[in-house]
Amino acid sequence: MRLVVARCAARYTGRLTAELPLATRLVVVKADGSVLLHSDGGSYKPLNWMSPPCSLAVAEPDDDAAARGVVEIWHVQHAKSDDRLEIELHEVLHDSAHELGVDPGLVKDGVEAHLQKLLAEQIHLLGAGHVLVRREYPTAIGPVDILAKDPAGGAVAVEIKRRGDIDGVEQLTRYLELLNRDPHLTPVRGVFAAQEIKPQARVLAHDRGITCLVLDYEAMRGMDDASTRLF
Amino acid sequence: MRLVVARCAARYTGRLTAELPLATRLVVVKADGSVLLHSDGGSYKPLNWMSPPCSLAVAEPDDDAAARGVVEIWHVQHAKSDDRLEIELHEVLHDSAHELGVDPGLVKDGVEAHLQKLLAEQIHLLGAGHVLVRREYPTAIGPVDILAKDPAGGAVAVEIKRRGDIDGVEQLTRYLELLNRDPHLTPVRGVFAAQEIKPQARVLAHDRGITCLVLDYEAMRGMDDASTRLF
DNA sequence: TGATTAATCTCGATT
DNA sequence: AATCGAGGTTAATCA
């Protein structure tokens, strides 16, 4: 990886044409030849970039460009399309190269999946006497996280989220609508379970007759550890 | 902007939880405190990041962390949510800071401008035998996008929009009113050209005797590429 | 200003 | 390989 801080201007042509006026920016050249142009603000999206696979060719400026103060011109050409990025370097303030090696990559911890597993094992958290029917109970619009039965034999559909937001309630509502069309299941009660439930979601859920259940992830994991330790 | 190349591990908690195992990466700290963790591959999206507004606090490792080889711990906390990014630095290979200043930002060449250029080059899209008179044909209330002549020698005024809405038709109507006062031009026919024309605009245009022309940007760009490749 | 939509989207999963 | 859908999306546009 090569890091260059420089006063530069750039032009991109491809899906669209765009220009970057002269300013001081960070230019990152990754091992695969891809290039990122970052300013000192904004979010993670670069001002301009070239995705791999691409090639980088460094050229001397012609007389005209040199007269404008250009020191070097970088031509970054995409390998599979005619997308190109042209960077005019006017003043290089920093230039360093680093060996980074291959990255093991991001490991996403499926807290939501874990919560589902734990709640299935600790189904009594829905209330005493509840019984698990199954996880990932299939419907036409996708599986419901958990289907259970309450002590009276009534069906209970559970939607699990890490953060309980309005769209989670909407999702559960759609499932309930479908499940209630099944004469063997109806009436189906809804439970919206999450580590944290937003006030708006709570109001909407209440309005639709859906029960809210706040899950204590740490406590549930503790229970899980305790039970596995017993056997 | 601060650039750090380091062997590091990271953990994010927020909408989801995710971990980055120990590896050598680029850490970018922008002026607004936002942080990017980049590997030496992939596209412009960082492996992990924190968007502004956020704050960065550097802490000494506790004994346990120090025993694992941690030199420094960075706590990056989002200002408006409980999103947090924790970076454990194990070995700092590079560390430099740079003053970048404010960036003027990306200037996208408007699709509308590009459409005008393309339609001027592919003026036959108005119908066989049409000839370009000029782009940006001046009138008292501003320039008409394109003035052309049809095979019979009649003047054609074209208004180009990305999204054809009612006010675009109104605008073209005003131009036509003015142009038709010129005895050398009148009668001037109107063409309302856009990538997409709203039904209301289409009805109004038809009512005023204005022709609607839907432009296929991709196809027109393809034509442009083909023609430039020939010469 | 909040909602909606497009993006040089990216990224993973599934067909 | 191609397509589909979600994203800690981001960014622009519209009401």
Side-chain angles (χ1 to χ4, degrees):
Chain A
M1 179 182 283
R2 184 172 169 195
L3 304 176
V4 175
V5 176
R7 280 203 312 127
C8 62
R11 179 165 46 250
Y12 164 79
T13 57
R15 303 282 185 92
L16 58 81
T17 58
E19 277 186 271
L20 278 173
L22 189 59
T24 306
R25 305 188 176 92
L26 166 66
V27 188
V28 179
V29 184
K30 292 193 175 187
D32 53 14
S34 61
V35 176
L36 315 180
L37 278 169
H38 269 283
S39 67
D40 210 343
S43 66
Y44 67 68
K45 194 177 178 183
L47 292 165
N48 220 324
W49 73 93
M50 183 62 72
S51 310
C54 63
S55 60
L56 169 61
V58 177
E60 295 296 310
D62 57 27
D63 293 345
D64 181 55
R68 284 185 290 116
V70 178
V71 177
E72 256 184 21
I73 298 181
W74 290 10
H75 296 274
V76 189
Q77 174 73 55
H78 196 266
K80 294 187 174 177
S81 72
D82 53 2
D83 288 27
R84 54 171 26 194
L85 177 62
E86 208 176 275
I87 307 171
E88 289 183 352
L89 300 178
H90 285 243
E91 186 187 1
V92 176
L93 305 168
H94 172 94
D95 190 345
S96 63
H98 311 271
E99 281 298 323
L100 263 57
V102 182
D103 200 284
L106 191 68
V107 181
K108 287 188 182 175
D109 184 9
V111 172
E112 192 179 314
H114 199 192
L115 279 173
Q116 186 193 113
K117 179 170 167 290
L118 290 170
L119 183 55
E121 290 165 6
Q122 304 169 33
I123 199 72
H124 65 272
L125 290 173
L126 294 179
H130 279 70
V131 181
L132 177 69
V133 176
R134 70 165 289 184
R135 290 168 58 184
E136 302 285 347
Y137 184 89
T139 79
I141 57 168
V144 177
D145 287 335
I146 283 181
L147 192 73
K149 279 209 184 300
D150 63 26
V156 181
V158 187
E159 176 65 32
I160 299 171
K161 292 286 177 198
R162 215 176 77 73
R163 285 189 184 178
D165 222 326
I166 280 185
D167 42 345
V169 180
E170 295 288 6
Q171 193 179 340
L172 177 54
T173 305
R174 290 193 294 273
Y175 285 134
L176 288 171
E177 209 178 300
L178 265 162
L179 293 171
N180 273 313
R181 287 184 199 164
D182 184 341
H184 299 294
L185 284 178
T186 194
V188 184
R189 196 157 54 81
V191 173
F192 189 54
Q195 267 190 285
E196 176 201 345
I197 297 180
K198 296 275 170 70
Q200 296 175 1
R202 190 178 289 275
V203 169
L204 183 63
H206 182 263
D207 185 57
R208 301 209 172 142
I210 292 170
T211 309
C212 286
L213 176 63
V214 175
L215 301 174
D216 185 337
Y217 186 45
E218 293 307 317
M220 290 170 77
R221 284 207 318 185
M223 282 293 291
D224 188 49
D225 288 351
S227 65
T228 50
R229 244 179 269 133
L230 282 175
F231 304 102
Chain B
M1 179 181 282
R2 184 173 170 195
L3 304 176
V4 175
V5 176
R7 279 204 311 128
C8 62
R11 179 164 47 250
Y12 165 79
T13 58
R15 298 280 186 93
L16 58 81
T17 58
E19 278 184 318
L20 277 173
L22 190 59
T24 306
R25 304 187 176 93
L26 167 65
V27 187
V28 179
V29 184
K30 292 194 176 187
D32 53 13
S34 61
V35 176
L36 315 181
L37 278 169
H38 268 283
S39 67
D40 210 343
S43 189
Y44 66 69
K45 193 177 179 182
L47 293 166
N48 223 324
W49 73 94
M50 184 61 73
S51 313
C54 63
S55 61
L56 168 62
V58 177
E60 294 297 310
D62 56 27
D63 293 347
D64 182 56
R68 283 184 290 117
V70 178
V71 177
E72 256 184 21
I73 298 181
W74 290 10
H75 295 274
V76 190
Q77 173 74 55
H78 195 266
K80 295 188 175 178
S81 71
D82 53 0
D83 289 27
R84 60 181 349 194
L85 177 62
E86 207 177 277
I87 307 171
E88 288 183 353
L89 300 178
H90 286 243
E91 185 186 2
V92 176
L93 304 168
H94 172 94
D95 190 346
S96 62
H98 310 272
E99 281 298 322
L100 263 58
V102 181
D103 201 285
L106 190 69
V107 181
K108 287 188 181 175
D109 190 13
V111 172
E112 192 178 316
H114 200 191
L115 279 172
Q116 186 192 112
K117 178 172 168 287
L118 290 169
L119 182 57
E121 290 165 5
Q122 302 170 34
I123 199 71
H124 65 271
L125 289 173
L126 293 178
H130 280 70
V131 182
L132 177 71
V133 176
R134 70 164 288 182
R135 288 167 60 183
E136 303 285 349
Y137 184 89
T139 78
I141 56 168
V144 178
D145 288 334
I146 284 180
L147 192 73
K149 279 208 184 302
D150 64 27
V156 181
V158 187
E159 176 64 31
I160 298 171
K161 290 286 176 199
R162 212 164 71 77
R163 289 186 185 175
D165 223 327
I166 280 185
D167 43 347
V169 179
E170 295 290 6
Q171 192 179 341
L172 177 55
T173 305
R174 289 194 294 274
Y175 285 133
L176 288 170
E177 211 177 298
L178 265 162
L179 293 171
N180 273 313
R181 288 183 197 164
D182 184 339
H184 300 293
L185 283 178
T186 195
V188 183
R189 194 156 55 81
V191 174
F192 188 53
Q195 267 190 286
E196 176 202 345
I197 297 180
K198 297 274 171 71
Q200 296 173 0
R202 190 179 290 275
V203 169
L204 183 63
H206 183 263
D207 186 57
R208 300 204 173 147
I210 291 169
T211 309
C212 285
L213 176 62
V214 175
L215 301 174
D216 185 337
Y217 186 46
E218 292 306 316
M220 290 170 77
R221 279 194 352 135
M223 282 292 292
D224 187 48
D225 288 350
S227 64
T228 50
R229 242 180 267 130
L230 282 174
F231 305 101

